[in-house]
């Protein structure tokens, strides 16, 4: 886990990820729109000028990263790196509703 964005490069804007990106490593930057903390599972809606992407933190996430995710609040500006994966609960309300990072 890093505390600075030095050396990070955005892979795509938040609203540009689709199912063809599944399995790829992704780096995104944006504002926290909403955080849903379900105990052992945290969802963060990250937004930028192109739209939203969901970040997911679960029991497979490094403990230090999970703790950092649990401290996030609305309007925090963050960078995140992870693997694009298919969502279990898809939504057609947003263009990125089939994937999460």
């Amino acid at each position: 886990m890093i505390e600075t964005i030095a050396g990070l490069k955005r892979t795509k804007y938040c609203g540009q990820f689709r199912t063809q990106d599944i399995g790829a490593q992704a780096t995104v930057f944006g504002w926290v729109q909403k955080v849903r903390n379900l105990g052992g599972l945290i969802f963060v809606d990250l937004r930028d000028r192109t739209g939203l992407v969901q970040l997911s933190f679960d029991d497979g996430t490094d403990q230090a990263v999970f703790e950092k995710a649990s401290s996030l609040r609305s309007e925090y500006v963050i960078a995140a790196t992870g693997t694009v994966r298919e969502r279990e609960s898809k939504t057609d309300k947003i263009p990125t509703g089939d994937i999460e990072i």
Side-chain angles (χ1 to χ4, degrees):
M1 180 176 67
I2 59 174
E3 295 293 326
T4 177
I5 63 170
L8 289 179
K9 286 188 100 173
R10 177 187 331 229
T11 307
K12 289 185 178 183
Y13 286 102
C14 293
Q16 295 176 326
F17 288 95
R18 300 293 184 269
T19 55
Q20 62 263 29
D21 298 310
I22 292 174
Q25 282 295 113
T27 300
V28 290
F29 297 86
W31 291 267
V32 174
Q33 173 96 13
K34 184 178 185 180
V35 178
R36 294 178 306 287
N37 189 335
L38 308 176
L41 186 60
I42 300 171
F43 296 108
V44 176
D45 290 341
L46 189 69
R47 68 179 163 85
D48 64 14
R49 64 188 180 125
T50 64
L52 290 172
V53 69
Q54 178 173 275
L55 306 179
S56 177
F57 303 89
D58 56 24
D59 57 0
T61 305
D62 179 80
Q63 187 62 31
V65 174
F66 191 87
E67 289 173 11
K68 182 70 78 174
S70 68
S71 71
L72 294 175
R73 301 290 178 256
S74 291
E75 297 302 317
Y76 279 21
V77 177
I78 65 167
T81 299
T83 304
V84 179
R85 64 183 183 190
E86 190 170 3
R87 268 184 168 185
E88 289 183 22
S89 299
K90 297 180 182 181
T91 180
D92 59 357
K93 294 181 180 179
I94 58 173
T96 59
D98 293 334
I99 60 97
E100 63 189 11
I101 300 174

